[in-house]
């Protein structure tokens, strides 16, 4: 079992408190590592190191910072299998998924923002003989990156790359449930030649370490991905300081399936959208809204496909569904299913915990579950379950489909499945979500704006939105005479 340390000013540092938290493997319940239970003392040290490193790092040519990111991307590629193993062990997700999605994307995040920054243009507003204005984009200073457990390295690099390439220095706090790949990234950052103090990492709980970081007066911006309750708390904490926050929060994402959809491609799409990473992706389509004329046929075919997903050891090559993140989360997901039973819902497949044979028989598995026949106002239609549970509701026409889709507090993403181009655009325009996919799910172009409306967050990340978030805009006027 490993004992991790913080990474401050290029050095490994134990927590000042001397206290450690347990990191548990979700697929087995075994102890994986001990991680620092950091407090404000460690956070202060990390922020001070980042502040010292800022003048030199932000003063480098853009190309020099971009080269550091490219080298880090290369090291992630070279160590992809090892990192994927760590990610799979720490999260419970299938190893192949960790390799194909998480590691590929971590590498792409760094490469993309290294390239994006070197192609970013600033504006000039010409006033003729009066003069002209040009716009500068200046680094903010020390920024905090707080990331969740569902896509640990994927989301950390998604924030780290634009933060660093624009010239900021960083203090990052990964989820205490999944610290391993963030910890490994520190060594790779050192190897990539990122100078001491530019990237610092503190481990610990949200309440202690995370809140100390949020409350630190020298933090100039916070980029956070996690639950809506935590996002609200962070926004409340920083409001008096008027610093920038980017909040990417939960979702209760609808999939609207019209009677003209091509079911041969729609059905596998719905399975992927509902159950990737055991449903623990903020973008997962957890609410199927289906035209009543195809409801019964679609539901029965979907249940067959979902029942065929193999749940088990994340390291096995044929596993489709791994473990949920924790025992507490497994209980929460199962309690939603119990509630569905109490409400008269029909469980079409799944509906229970799974104990795979062998080394994973104490893991936190839940059978992928499809539920229909719930009352319209049921909690399962409104609250984020964040597990392998999809509910189905019927609709009579487009207006009703849109009304159901928008009838939740969240507004992150939606998918629309239809063979009619006009309908696709019309419906997309009326959906209250930051992202709409038509006839697909989770196809990502890193240049596009990513984020949610309503309780799903504040601000957008991706491409120029990330670069703008991590910089301050300054207008300079030059007199024409
Ligand atoms: O997330 P938290 P949790 C949703 C999902 C899940 C629920 C709760 O529904 O069931 O949120 O998950 C840090 N100050 N999502 O409790 O607490 C924390 O240590 C500063 C959706 O695990 O939001 C971790 O690093 N930081 C989501 C990070 O916040 C604090 C992904 C996220 O943890 C803090 C994960 C505080 N006061 C969960 N409290 C998505 N959008 O993808 C906690 N943290």
């Amino acid at each position: 079992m490993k004992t991790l340390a913080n990474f401050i000013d290029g050095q490994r540092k134990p927590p000042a408190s001397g206290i450690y938290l347990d990191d548990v493997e979700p697929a087995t319940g075994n102890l994986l590592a001990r991680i620092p239970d950091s407090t404000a003392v460690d956070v202060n040290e990390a922020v001070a190191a980042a502040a010292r490193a800022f003048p030199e790092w932000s003063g480098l040519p853009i190309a020099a910072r971009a080269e550091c990111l490219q080298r880090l991307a290369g090291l992630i590629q070279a160590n992809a299998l090892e990192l994927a193993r760590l990610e799979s062990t720490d999260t419970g997700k299938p190893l192949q998924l960790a390799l194909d999605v998480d590691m590929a994307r971590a590498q792409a995040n760094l490469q993309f923002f290294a390239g994006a920054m070197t192609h970013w243009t600033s504006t000039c507003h010409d006033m003729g003989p009066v003069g002209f204005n040009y716009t500068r984009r200046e680094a903010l200073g020390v920024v905090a990156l707080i990331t969740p457990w569902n896509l640990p390295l994927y989301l950390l690099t998604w924030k780290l790359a634009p933060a660093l390439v624009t010239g900021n220095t960083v203090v990052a706090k990964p989820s205490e449930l999944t610290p391993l790949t963030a910890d490994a990234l520190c060594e790779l950052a050192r190897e990539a030649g990122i100078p001491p103090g530019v990237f610092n990492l503190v481990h610990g709980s949200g309440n202690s370490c995370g809140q100390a970081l949020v409350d630190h007066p020298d933090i100039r911006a916070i980029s956070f991905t996690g639950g809506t309750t935590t996002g609200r708390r962070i926004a409340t904490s920083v409001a008096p300081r008027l610093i920038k926050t980017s909040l990417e929060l939960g979702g209760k994402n609808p999939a609207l399936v019209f009677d003209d959809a091509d079911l041969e491609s729609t059905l596998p799409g719905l399975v992927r959208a509902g159950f990737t990473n055991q449903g623990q992706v903020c973008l997962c389509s957890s609410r199927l809204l289906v035209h009543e004329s195809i409801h019964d046929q679609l539901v029965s075919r979907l249940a067959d496909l979902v029942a065929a997903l193999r749940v088990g050891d994340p390291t096995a090559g044929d596993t489709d569904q791994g473990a949920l993140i924790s025992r507490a989360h497994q209980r929460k997901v199962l309690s939603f299913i119990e509630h569905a039973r109490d409400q008269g819902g029909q469980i079409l497949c799944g509906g229970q915990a799974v104990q795979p044979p062998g080394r994973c028989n104490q893991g936190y598995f839940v059978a992928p579950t499809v539920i229909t026949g719930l009352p319209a106002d049921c909690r399962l239609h409104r609250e984020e379950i964040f597990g392998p549970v999809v509910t189905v509701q019927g609709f009579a026409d487009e207006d009703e489909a849109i009304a159901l889709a928008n009838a939740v507090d969240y507004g992150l993403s939606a998918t629309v499945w239809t063979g009619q181009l006009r309908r696709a655009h019309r419906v997309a325009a009326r959906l209250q979500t930051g992202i709409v996919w038509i006839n697909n799910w989770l196809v990502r172009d890193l240049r596009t704006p990513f984020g949610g409306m309503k309780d799903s967050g504040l601000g957008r990340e991706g491409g120029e939105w990330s670069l703008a978030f991590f910089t301050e805009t300054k207008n300079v006027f030059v007199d024409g005479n």
Side-chain angles (χ1 to χ4, degrees):
M1 193 192 53
K2 272 181 83 175
T3 298
L4 305 188
N6 291 325
F7 185 69
I8 299 174
D9 214 4
Q11 307 284 324
R12 290 295 184 175
K13 293 269 171 78
S17 67
I19 300 173
Y20 289 82
L21 303 169
D22 289 345
D23 177 28
V24 171
E25 179 179 10
T28 62
N30 294 338
L31 201 56
L32 274 176
R34 296 189 324 145
I35 69 160
D37 186 9
S38 304
T39 59
V41 179
D42 309 287
V43 168
N44 290 348
E45 211 185 316
V47 175
R52 283 194 303 275
F54 177 70
E56 197 173 328
W57 178 250
S58 58
L60 285 177
I62 289 169
R65 292 196 298 264
E67 272 169 31
C68 283
L69 263 58
Q70 293 286 12
R71 282 198 296 272
L72 187 55
L75 288 166
I76 288 177
Q77 183 179 28
N79 293 281
L81 186 56
E82 173 66 13
L83 289 166
R85 283 206 182 101
L86 284 180
E87 201 75 296
S88 167
T89 312
D90 218 6
T91 59
K93 68 177 66 188
L95 176 59
Q96 202 58 46
L97 184 75
L99 189 62
D100 294 347
V101 174
D102 297 68
M103 296 315 128
R105 179 59 190 277
Q107 181 193 336
N109 286 337
L110 290 153
Q111 287 170 329
F112 169 78
F113 280 109
M117 186 64 190
T118 49
H119 293 84
W120 204 26
T121 52
S122 58
T123 49
C124 172
H125 296 92
D126 192 349
M127 299 175 76
V130 178
F132 68 94
N133 303 269
Y134 64 92
T135 308
R136 286 176 53 80
R137 290 288 199 172
E138 298 174 357
L140 302 171
V142 183
V143 299
L145 312 181
I146 301 177
T147 44
W149 44 262
N150 57 339
L151 299 159
L153 194 65
Y154 175 130
L155 288 175
L156 175 56
T157 50
W158 176 238
K159 297 177 189 301
L160 184 67
L164 289 184
V165 82
T166 46
N168 301 283
T169 53
V170 165
V171 179
K173 194 206 88 63
S175 169
E176 59 275 36
L177 301 177
T178 54
L180 296 185
T181 49
D183 199 71
L185 189 69
C186 298
E187 298 313 319
L188 299 181
R190 196 176 1 216
E191 212 179 317
I194 295 177
V198 169
F199 169 48
N200 306 275
L201 190 98
V202 281
H203 290 288
S205 71
N207 278 337
S208 167
C209 177
Q211 192 64 44
L213 188 54
V214 166
D215 289 339
H216 197 293
D218 295 340
I219 293 292
R220 303 307 314 148
I222 299 173
S223 178
F224 170 80
T225 300
T228 297
T229 308
T230 312
R232 258 205 195 95
R233 185 167 164 194
I234 291 174
T236 308
S237 300
V238 303
R241 306 213 313 274
L242 303 176
I243 62 168
K244 287 187 175 191
T245 49
S246 170
L247 304 174
E248 204 277 283
L249 310 177
K252 189 68 190 173
N253 313 302
L256 291 76
V257 188
F258 289 92
D259 51 0
D260 50 25
D262 166 24
L263 289 193
E264 299 319 309
S265 57
T266 298
L267 279 160
L270 295 177
V271 175
R272 203 167 71 82
F275 298 96
T276 295
N277 203 30
Q278 297 77 248
Q280 301 169 126
V281 180
C282 53
L283 302 160
C284 274
S285 301
S286 54
R287 289 191 293 147
L288 296 197
L289 309 176
V290 183
H291 190 268
E292 56 194 20
S293 68
I294 56 165
H295 178 276
D296 294 354
Q297 182 204 1
L298 181 133
V299 155
S300 125
R301 289 181 64 185
L302 178 73
D304 288 346
L305 290 174
V306 174
L309 294 174
R310 287 162 302 226
V311 182
D313 189 336
T315 59
D318 61 352
T319 292
D320 301 306
Q321 297 274 289
L324 302 196
I325 187 64
S326 64
R327 179 69 78 203
H329 192 53
Q330 182 199 35
R331 288 200 185 111
K332 178 178 150 185
V333 171
L334 291 172
S335 79
F336 272 104
I337 298 173
E338 272 322 296
H339 185 70
R341 284 203 176 89
D342 294 344
Q343 296 275 300
Q346 198 189 343
I347 316 274
L348 300 170
C349 61
Q352 75 285 333
V354 177
Q355 277 186 295
R359 75 169 198 110
C360 294
N361 72 353
Q362 297 299 312
Y364 317 136
F365 297 86
V366 172
T369 302
V370 178
I371 307 175
T372 187
L374 290 166
D377 63 348
C378 179
R379 277 176 56 204
L380 275 84
H381 290 148
R382 291 179 283 112
E383 295 178 22
E384 187 178 44
I385 302 172
F386 219 60
V389 180
V390 164
T391 58
V392 191
Q393 291 170 273
F395 64 79
D397 56 30
E398 209 172 285
D399 282 344
E400 191 188 0
I402 289 163
L404 286 170
N406 290 339
V408 290
D409 293 334
Y410 292 105
L412 186 54
S413 75
T415 55
V416 180
W417 305 83
T418 176
Q420 267 192 55
L421 191 61
R422 281 197 184 134
R423 167 177 278 154
H425 293 303
R426 200 165 56 223
V427 172
R430 292 177 66 193
L431 288 169
Q432 294 165 356
T433 60
I435 301 154
V436 179
W437 282 287
I438 294 165
N439 293 326
N440 215 321
W441 176 74
L442 198 40
V443 180
R444 291 282 293 120
D445 177 332
L446 303 188
R447 294 170 301 178
T448 59
F450 180 94
M453 299 181 181
K454 295 157 63 175
D455 283 0
S456 289
L458 199 61
R460 296 291 181 271
E461 298 182 335
E464 62 185 88
W465 286 268
S466 291
L467 298 176
F469 175 76
F470 284 112
T471 50
E472 198 67 84
T473 308
K474 180 185 283 174
N475 187 67
V476 180
F477 169 76
V478 182
D479 194 277
N481 297 306

